[in-house]
Amino acid sequence: MNCIFCGIVSGEVKSQIVYENDDVLAFKDLNPQAPTHLLIIPKKHISRLAESQDGDAEILGKVLLAARDLAKKFDIKDFRLVTNNGKGAGQTVDHLHFHFMAGRRFLWPAG
């Protein structure tokens, strides 16, 4: 498998990690779209949300709790959490990831 996010999890690819526990990793986005733009990933390789399994429910919940913890860590009250599912939705890395963005006003509907 040639997944850049799996490389970050293994330590083979350098990244600015800001949060880590046994199941989840968060790091700074290389192309930030907001003053705070982090990527939150499960350490387990899941290509996209639509390919997750029922047995992934716990780790998916831990990703959301990581977003909560990041908001607390950086004293952020308002943030946007986004995931893209497939190339047509804008997913560029085939490893489930959530964009945690804050520090500017976001428009609705999104993109």
Side-chain angles (χ1 to χ4, degrees):
M1 184 180 305
N2 196 13
C3 173
I4 191 162
F5 288 174
C6 288
I8 292 171
V9 169
S10 71
E12 295 172 26
V13 176
K14 298 294 180 203
S15 186
Q16 293 183 27
I17 296 170
V18 297
Y19 177 93
E20 182 173 12
N21 64 30
D22 290 341
D23 301 300
V24 177
L25 192 67
F27 50 92
K28 292 185 178 183
D29 192 294
L30 290 178
N31 184 26
Q33 301 299 306
T36 299
H37 188 166
L38 309 172
L39 297 178
I40 307 171
I41 65 169
K43 288 184 174 180
K44 174 186 177 186
H45 183 87
I46 302 169
S47 294
R48 59 188 59 146
L49 188 58
E51 294 181 9
S52 63
Q53 304 295 312
D54 290 347
D56 294 324
E58 184 176 358
I59 195 156
L60 295 174
K62 288 180 180 184
V63 167
L64 295 179
L65 293 176
R68 177 205 60 194
D69 293 346
L70 285 163
K72 287 180 183 178
K73 177 179 180 175
F74 293 107
D75 195 30
I76 294 172
K77 303 283 186 249
D78 300 314
F79 62 91
R80 178 169 283 181
L81 192 63
V82 176
T83 190
N84 301 315
N85 190 85
K87 289 181 183 15
Q91 185 176 1
T92 57
V93 177
D94 286 330
H95 186 122
L96 178 63
H97 57 285
F98 291 78
H99 297 262
F100 178 101
M101 296 177 287
R104 72 169 175 86
R105 185 161 173 79
F106 296 100
L107 301 176
W108 192 258

XYZ file of all heavy atoms in Angstrom, residues 5-89:
656
model
N -0.849 8.963 4.271
C -1.301 9.087 5.653
C -0.855 7.893 6.495
O -0.517 8.053 7.669
C -2.811 9.283 5.727
C -3.280 10.646 5.259
C -4.627 10.918 5.155
C -2.392 11.655 4.916
C -5.079 12.161 4.726
C -2.826 12.900 4.482
C -4.181 13.150 4.389
N -0.817 6.700 5.907
C -0.275 5.548 6.628
C 1.218 5.773 6.904
O 1.723 5.365 7.952
C -0.497 4.262 5.838
S -2.231 3.709 5.826
N 1.903 6.439 5.970
C 3.307 6.786 6.185
C 3.483 7.757 7.341
O 4.448 7.670 8.098
N 2.544 8.680 7.501
C 2.596 9.604 8.643
C 2.358 8.836 9.935
O 3.068 9.031 10.928
C 1.575 10.748 8.454
C 2.023 11.649 7.293
C 1.418 11.552 9.740
C 0.994 12.679 6.870
N 1.386 7.920 9.928
C 1.096 7.107 11.116
C 2.328 6.306 11.525
O 2.679 6.236 12.700
C -0.115 6.173 10.875
C -0.244 5.153 11.994
C -1.402 6.978 10.733
N 3.023 5.719 10.547
C 4.185 4.878 10.849
C 5.431 5.684 11.188
O 6.413 5.127 11.672
C 4.492 3.955 9.665
O 5.024 4.707 8.579
N 5.415 6.981 10.908
C 6.586 7.823 11.161
C 7.537 7.899 9.982
O 8.547 8.600 10.054
N 7.232 7.214 8.893
C 8.085 7.250 7.710
C 7.980 8.585 6.976
O 8.920 8.990 6.289
C 7.726 6.115 6.761
C 8.012 4.741 7.332
C 7.479 3.623 6.446
O 7.332 3.829 5.227
O 7.206 2.537 6.986
N 6.845 9.245 7.082
C 6.630 10.552 6.465
C 6.495 11.579 7.586
O 5.703 11.401 8.514
C 5.346 10.545 5.586
C 5.067 11.929 5.034
C 5.471 9.525 4.464
N 7.282 12.625 7.508
C 7.260 13.671 8.538
C 6.019 14.532 8.394
O 5.569 14.822 7.290
C 8.511 14.554 8.436
C 9.807 13.806 8.668
C 9.894 13.324 10.088
C 11.202 12.579 10.307
N 11.145 11.661 11.403
N 5.490 14.958 9.530
C 4.329 15.824 9.568
C 4.343 16.596 10.881
O 5.019 16.203 11.829
C 3.050 14.994 9.455
O 1.936 15.833 9.357
N 3.596 17.672 10.926
C 3.479 18.457 12.161
C 2.300 17.925 12.966
O 1.188 18.435 12.893
C 3.300 19.934 11.838
C 4.518 20.558 11.192
C 4.325 22.040 10.944
O 3.570 22.715 11.635
N 5.010 22.549 9.942
N 2.573 16.895 13.744
C 1.534 16.230 14.536
C 1.171 17.105 15.729
O 2.043 17.593 16.443
C 2.010 14.838 14.986
C 2.222 13.950 13.754
C 1.018 14.203 15.956
C 2.905 12.638 14.036
N -0.135 17.296 15.935
C -0.614 18.120 17.049
C -1.428 17.320 18.056
O -1.749 17.828 19.131
C -1.438 19.330 16.546
C -0.578 20.258 15.699
C -2.666 18.884 15.776
N -1.774 16.080 17.704
C -2.602 15.254 18.593
C -2.382 13.797 18.210
O -2.309 13.463 17.022
C -4.082 15.614 18.406
C -5.047 14.793 19.217
C -5.464 15.221 20.470
C -5.572 13.602 18.725
C -6.361 14.470 21.211
C -6.479 12.853 19.456
C -6.863 13.295 20.707
O -7.757 12.550 21.446
N -2.294 12.954 19.240
C -2.167 11.520 18.973
C -2.651 10.730 20.172
O -2.381 11.081 21.324
C -0.710 11.163 18.665
C -0.498 9.707 18.320
C 0.911 9.386 17.853
O 1.808 10.234 17.997
O 1.114 8.256 17.360
N -3.380 9.663 19.877
C -3.678 8.655 20.886
C -3.506 7.299 20.212
O -2.953 7.226 19.115
C -5.063 8.872 21.531
C -6.222 8.716 20.565
O -6.158 7.953 19.594
N -7.302 9.437 20.830
N -3.961 6.233 20.830
C -3.738 4.899 20.272
C -4.400 4.689 18.910
O -3.927 3.882 18.109
C -4.247 3.820 21.238
C -3.394 3.716 22.487
O -2.238 4.197 22.472
O -3.884 3.149 23.482
N -5.483 5.408 18.643
C -6.284 5.142 17.444
C -6.360 6.284 16.441
O -6.770 6.076 15.302
C -7.720 4.788 17.861
C -7.762 3.576 18.761
O -7.309 2.507 18.323
O -8.242 3.700 19.911
N -6.011 7.483 16.860
C -6.255 8.681 16.053
C -5.012 9.562 16.034
O -4.274 9.641 17.017
C -7.459 9.474 16.619
C -7.697 10.758 15.846
C -8.715 8.618 16.635
N -4.829 10.238 14.905
C -3.711 11.163 14.734
C -4.259 12.435 14.104
O -5.143 12.381 13.241
C -2.679 10.526 13.801
C -1.311 11.148 13.670
C -0.536 11.013 14.974
C -0.550 10.472 12.549
N -3.738 13.595 14.511
C -4.103 14.865 13.889
C -2.828 15.639 13.595
O -1.891 15.649 14.399
C -5.024 15.672 14.792
N -2.815 16.279 12.437
C -1.628 17.023 12.018
C -2.055 18.214 11.169
O -3.190 18.286 10.677
C -0.657 16.119 11.260
C -1.279 15.305 10.155
C -1.323 15.771 8.856
C -1.834 14.062 10.435
C -1.902 15.027 7.849
C -2.417 13.298 9.427
C -2.458 13.788 8.130
N -1.131 19.154 10.994
C -1.418 20.364 10.233
C -1.533 20.037 8.750
O -0.733 19.284 8.208
C -0.325 21.405 10.469
C -0.323 21.955 11.873
C 0.691 23.072 12.033
C 0.632 23.638 13.448
N 1.569 24.767 13.605
N -2.529 20.642 8.113
C -2.726 20.486 6.672
C -1.628 21.264 5.942
O -1.293 22.382 6.332
C -4.107 21.013 6.280
C -4.501 20.630 4.873
O -3.846 21.105 3.921
O -5.463 19.861 4.717
N -1.071 20.674 4.895
C -0.009 21.334 4.130
C -0.531 22.465 3.259
O 0.242 23.316 2.822
C 0.725 20.308 3.250
C 1.601 19.306 3.980
C 2.212 18.320 2.987
C 2.690 20.005 4.785
N -1.826 22.482 2.984
C -2.435 23.518 2.156
C -3.628 24.109 2.912
O -4.783 23.885 2.537
C -2.865 22.926 0.804
C -3.405 23.966 -0.137
O -3.072 25.137 -0.043
N -4.271 23.538 -1.040
N -3.355 24.852 3.992
C -4.442 25.291 4.866
C -5.430 26.225 4.173
O -5.046 27.106 3.404
C -3.715 26.000 6.011
C -2.379 26.354 5.471
C -2.053 25.342 4.425
N -6.704 26.009 4.464
C -7.791 26.823 3.937
C -8.411 27.698 5.020
O -9.419 28.366 4.777
C -8.860 25.923 3.317
C -8.341 25.045 2.199
C -7.779 25.848 1.040
O -8.454 26.711 0.490
N -6.533 25.581 0.679
N -7.808 27.695 6.194
C -8.263 28.498 7.322
C -7.067 28.703 8.247
O -6.090 27.939 8.178
C -9.390 27.778 8.064
N -7.118 29.720 9.112
C -6.001 29.940 10.046
C -5.635 28.688 10.856
O -4.459 28.424 11.093
C -6.511 31.069 10.938
C -7.419 31.849 10.031
C -8.115 30.790 9.201
N -6.630 27.933 11.273
C -6.398 26.614 11.866
C -6.991 25.593 10.905
O -8.190 25.618 10.635
C -7.067 26.484 13.246
O -6.524 27.463 14.133
C -6.844 25.091 13.828
N -6.133 24.739 10.368
C -6.604 23.687 9.453
C -5.799 22.437 9.747
O -4.624 22.338 9.415
C -6.425 24.107 7.996
C -7.063 23.156 7.032
N -7.255 23.488 5.715
C -7.549 21.890 7.168
C -7.835 22.474 5.078
N -8.009 21.483 5.946
N -6.451 21.499 10.402
C -5.829 20.242 10.811
C -6.525 19.091 10.100
O -7.689 19.203 9.717
C -5.958 20.055 12.324
C -5.508 21.230 13.188
C -5.875 20.976 14.650
C -4.019 21.475 13.036
N -5.817 17.995 9.932
C -6.412 16.765 9.423
C -6.445 15.758 10.558
O -5.439 15.564 11.247
C -5.604 16.216 8.250
C -5.536 17.107 7.021
C -4.674 16.467 5.947
C -6.919 17.417 6.484
N -7.584 15.144 10.754
C -7.760 14.122 11.779
C -7.997 12.804 11.054
O -8.899 12.709 10.217
C -8.957 14.431 12.696
C -8.851 15.842 13.287
C -9.055 13.378 13.805
C -10.109 16.278 14.033
N -7.183 11.798 11.377
C -7.300 10.506 10.695
C -7.345 9.362 11.701
O -6.723 9.437 12.765
C -6.123 10.266 9.716
C -4.791 10.141 10.454
C -6.050 11.377 8.673
C -3.636 9.651 9.583
N -8.060 8.301 11.351
C -7.895 7.070 12.135
C -6.555 6.460 11.754
O -6.143 6.528 10.589
C -9.065 6.200 11.675
C -9.390 6.677 10.298
C -9.037 8.137 10.268
N -5.860 5.890 12.704
C -4.593 5.220 12.380
C -4.831 3.983 11.518
O -4.008 3.638 10.686
C -3.839 4.850 13.657
C -3.260 6.067 14.360
C -2.443 5.653 15.568
C -1.752 6.830 16.196
N -0.944 6.425 17.370
N -5.963 3.364 11.716
C -6.341 2.223 10.875
C -6.664 2.746 9.482
O -7.387 3.735 9.333
C -7.564 1.520 11.466
C -8.115 0.417 10.589
C -9.411 -0.143 11.157
C -9.972 -1.198 10.208
N -11.290 -1.662 10.665
N -6.166 2.085 8.456
C -6.464 2.517 7.093
C -7.899 2.160 6.723
O -8.277 0.994 6.678
C -5.504 1.889 6.080
C -5.748 2.387 4.685
N -5.152 3.526 4.214
C -6.552 1.936 3.698
C -5.578 3.744 2.972
N -6.428 2.788 2.651
N -8.687 3.199 6.495
C -10.030 3.088 5.940
C -10.017 4.055 4.757
O -9.716 5.236 4.935
C -11.115 3.497 6.959
C -11.031 2.641 8.224
C -12.504 3.436 6.338
C -11.885 3.140 9.380
N -10.302 3.581 3.571
C -10.171 4.420 2.375
C -11.092 5.632 2.399
O -10.677 6.736 2.057
C -10.443 3.610 1.116
O -9.445 2.641 0.937
N -12.341 5.420 2.774
C -13.316 6.517 2.834
C -14.466 6.087 3.714
O -14.635 4.900 4.005
C -13.787 6.910 1.441
C -14.443 5.786 0.673
C -14.700 6.175 -0.750
N -13.413 6.511 -1.335
C -13.066 6.295 -2.584
N -13.920 5.769 -3.396
N -11.893 6.605 -3.029
N -15.264 7.031 4.120
C -16.357 6.745 5.045
C -17.301 5.681 4.493
O -17.720 4.784 5.222
C -17.122 8.034 5.356
C -18.166 7.939 6.453
C -17.550 7.481 7.774
C -18.861 9.275 6.627
N -17.594 5.736 3.207
C -18.521 4.767 2.617
C -17.972 3.346 2.637
O -18.733 2.396 2.484
C -18.868 5.167 1.177
N -16.680 3.189 2.830
C -16.075 1.860 2.893
C -15.808 1.402 4.324
O -15.204 0.354 4.542
C -14.795 1.838 2.057
C -15.098 2.019 0.576
C -13.868 1.979 -0.301
O -12.777 1.643 0.189
O -14.007 2.298 -1.486
N -16.253 2.190 5.302
C -16.094 1.769 6.693
C -17.036 0.603 6.968
O -18.019 0.384 6.250
C -16.371 2.931 7.650
O -17.701 3.373 7.532
N -16.720 -0.151 7.998
C -17.506 -1.329 8.390
C -18.218 -1.043 9.713
O -17.828 -0.127 10.451
C -16.574 -2.535 8.558
C -15.735 -2.849 7.332
C -16.562 -3.284 6.152
O -17.434 -4.139 6.281
N -16.306 -2.685 4.993
N -19.217 -1.832 10.025
C -19.907 -1.668 11.306
C -18.928 -1.751 12.465
O -19.071 -1.036 13.459
C -21.001 -2.723 11.471
C -22.179 -2.512 10.538
O -22.293 -1.419 9.931
O -22.996 -3.450 10.400
N -17.907 -2.581 12.330
C -16.903 -2.722 13.383
C -16.019 -1.506 13.559
O -15.242 -1.423 14.507
N -16.119 -0.535 12.659
C -15.330 0.700 12.753
C -16.028 1.782 13.568
O -15.500 2.879 13.720
C -15.034 1.251 11.349
C -14.137 0.340 10.537
O -13.231 -0.289 11.133
O -14.345 0.259 9.304
N -17.213 1.485 14.087
C -17.996 2.503 14.797
C -17.212 3.141 15.939
O -17.250 4.368 16.117
C -19.296 1.899 15.324
N -16.495 2.336 16.701
C -15.758 2.885 17.840
C -14.666 3.847 17.378
O -14.524 4.943 17.934
C -15.157 1.762 18.692
C -14.470 2.289 19.937
C -13.944 1.187 20.847
O -14.142 -0.011 20.554
O -13.316 1.543 21.861
N -13.911 3.469 16.382
C -12.832 4.347 15.929
C -13.381 5.613 15.272
O -12.817 6.698 15.424
C -11.835 3.620 15.005
C -10.566 4.447 14.872
C -12.412 3.334 13.649
C -9.353 3.670 14.501
N -14.514 5.502 14.582
C -15.137 6.696 14.003
C -15.575 7.647 15.109
O -15.420 8.866 14.985
C -16.304 6.303 13.108
C -15.936 5.505 11.858
C -17.191 5.040 11.127
C -15.030 6.287 10.943
N -16.100 7.113 16.180
C -16.452 7.944 17.333
C -15.235 8.598 17.953
O -15.273 9.761 18.368
N -14.125 7.874 17.993
C -12.893 8.433 18.563
C -12.355 9.587 17.716
O -11.750 10.518 18.247
C -11.845 7.338 18.723
C -12.180 6.379 19.852
C -11.141 5.292 19.999
C -11.498 4.355 21.138
N -10.457 3.344 21.377
N -12.597 9.534 16.414
C -12.202 10.658 15.557
C -12.985 11.914 15.959
O -12.414 13.001 16.083
C -12.417 10.317 14.070
C -12.307 11.555 13.200
C -11.424 9.253 13.607
N -14.285 11.759 16.183
C -15.093 12.909 16.598
C -14.679 13.420 17.968
O -14.629 14.638 18.202
C -16.575 12.541 16.587
C -17.155 12.209 15.213
C -18.626 11.827 15.332
C -16.963 13.345 14.234
N -14.344 12.522 18.863
C -13.865 12.956 20.182
C -12.515 13.664 20.076
O -12.235 14.590 20.839
C -13.787 11.763 21.132
C -15.133 11.147 21.511
C -14.924 9.902 22.377
C -16.026 12.154 22.213
N -11.699 13.263 19.111
C -10.429 13.957 18.883
C -10.691 15.396 18.442
O -9.980 16.316 18.867
C -9.590 13.213 17.855
N -11.710 15.608 17.612
C -12.070 16.972 17.208
C -12.462 17.793 18.430
O -12.040 18.946 18.580
C -13.203 16.943 16.184
N -13.233 17.193 19.308
C -13.593 17.869 20.565
C -12.355 18.225 21.367
O -12.203 19.351 21.854
C -14.508 16.961 21.387
C -14.890 17.535 22.741
C -15.244 16.479 23.757
N -14.139 15.568 24.012
C -14.263 14.410 24.653
N -15.434 14.000 25.083
N -13.205 13.644 24.873
N -11.427 17.271 21.488
C -10.217 17.486 22.266
C -9.326 18.564 21.645
O -8.707 19.354 22.354
C -9.430 16.181 22.403
C -10.159 15.140 23.245
O -11.141 15.491 23.940
O -9.756 13.960 23.187
N -9.264 18.595 20.317
C -8.482 19.633 19.640
C -9.073 21.014 19.885
O -8.334 21.982 20.105
C -8.403 19.344 18.137
C -7.466 18.215 17.756
C -7.762 17.724 16.349
C -6.011 18.657 17.883
N -10.397 21.117 19.862
C -11.040 22.396 20.143
C -10.690 22.866 21.546
O -10.369 24.044 21.760
C -12.555 22.281 19.962
N -10.709 21.947 22.500
C -10.332 22.302 23.872
C -8.859 22.685 23.950
O -8.500 23.686 24.569
C -10.612 21.130 24.822
C -12.070 20.897 25.099
C -12.251 19.711 26.040
C -13.703 19.415 26.288
N -13.898 18.245 27.163
N -7.998 21.894 23.322
C -6.552 22.126 23.379
C -6.178 23.507 22.848
O -5.325 24.180 23.407
C -5.826 21.037 22.579
C -4.330 21.214 22.514
C -3.659 20.096 21.741
C -2.149 20.306 21.701
N -1.462 19.187 21.069
N -6.819 23.912 21.765
C -6.483 25.185 21.130
C -7.472 26.299 21.481
O -7.432 27.371 20.878
C -6.382 25.006 19.610
C -5.223 24.147 19.207
C -5.427 22.851 18.741
C -3.921 24.609 19.309
C -4.353 22.049 18.368
C -2.842 23.821 18.952
C -3.063 22.532 18.482
N -8.342 26.043 22.466
C -9.335 27.017 22.928
C -10.155 27.567 21.765
O -10.280 28.782 21.588
C -8.666 28.143 23.722
C -9.673 28.967 24.512
O -10.709 28.400 24.913
O -9.429 30.176 24.706
N -10.681 26.660 20.964
C -11.486 27.014 19.802
C -12.953 26.729 20.112
O -13.306 25.610 20.473
C -11.019 26.220 18.559
C -9.603 26.651 18.182
C -11.989 26.391 17.408
C -8.968 25.798 17.103
N -13.779 27.744 19.969
C -15.214 27.591 20.252
C -15.990 27.166 19.006
O -16.937 26.392 19.091
C -15.785 28.912 20.772
C -15.082 29.443 22.013
C -15.500 28.705 23.250
C -14.902 29.344 24.485
N -13.910 28.559 25.140
N -15.633 27.735 17.859
C -16.360 27.475 16.619
C -15.421 26.846 15.608
O -14.332 27.371 15.356
C -16.908 28.786 16.033
C -17.852 29.493 16.982
O -18.734 28.822 17.548
O -17.695 30.717 17.169
N -15.839 25.741 15.021
C -15.012 25.089 14.018
C -15.905 24.336 13.045
O -17.066 24.078 13.310
C -13.972 24.152 14.644
C -14.546 23.002 15.433
C -14.821 21.777 14.837
C -14.793 23.138 16.799
C -15.340 20.717 15.562
C -15.307 22.077 17.542
C -15.576 20.869 16.922
N -15.308 24.001 11.906
C -15.991 23.188 10.903
C -15.235 21.877 10.785
O -14.001 21.867 10.727
C -16.035 23.909 9.552
C -16.714 23.062 8.467
C -16.983 23.867 7.224
N -18.145 24.720 7.468
C -18.663 25.540 6.564
N -18.117 25.644 5.373
N -19.716 26.268 6.850
N -15.973 20.780 10.720
C -15.405 19.447 10.550
C -15.997 18.866 9.269
O -17.209 18.745 9.148
C -15.740 18.578 11.759
C -15.010 17.254 11.888
C -13.517 17.461 12.058
C -15.564 16.457 13.054
N -15.125 18.527 8.302
C -15.568 18.100 6.980
C -14.835 16.838 6.569
O -13.625 16.720 6.802
C -15.263 19.199 5.926
C -15.625 18.738 4.525
C -15.967 20.493 6.272
N -15.555 15.918 5.937
C -14.909 14.792 5.276
C -15.475 14.681 3.871
O -16.648 14.963 3.634
C -15.074 13.470 6.053
O -14.231 12.487 5.474
C -16.503 12.978 6.066
N -14.613 14.336 2.942
C -15.020 14.128 1.555
C -15.001 12.630 1.286
O -14.121 11.931 1.773
C -14.065 14.851 0.608
C -14.010 16.347 0.885
O -15.031 16.984 1.074
N -12.819 16.901 0.929
N -15.945 12.158 0.494
C -16.049 10.732 0.205
C -15.944 10.508 -1.303
O -16.928 10.659 -2.025
C -17.369 10.178 0.739
C -17.402 8.673 0.671
O -16.915 8.009 1.578
N -17.941 8.114 -0.397
N -14.742 10.223 -1.776
C -14.510 9.968 -3.186
C -14.011 11.189 -3.939
O -14.145 12.319 -3.484
N -13.428 10.936 -5.090
C -12.832 11.997 -5.894
C -13.848 13.058 -6.310
O -13.540 14.245 -6.329
C -12.145 11.400 -7.114
C -10.870 10.645 -6.766
C -10.201 10.073 -8.002
C -8.969 9.253 -7.734
N -8.682 8.783 -6.439
N -15.069 12.642 -6.649
C -16.100 13.585 -7.050
C -16.496 14.553 -5.950
O -17.012 15.635 -6.227
N -16.231 14.180 -4.703
C -16.526 15.048 -3.558
C -15.288 15.829 -3.112
O -15.360 16.592 -2.156
C -17.062 14.219 -2.399
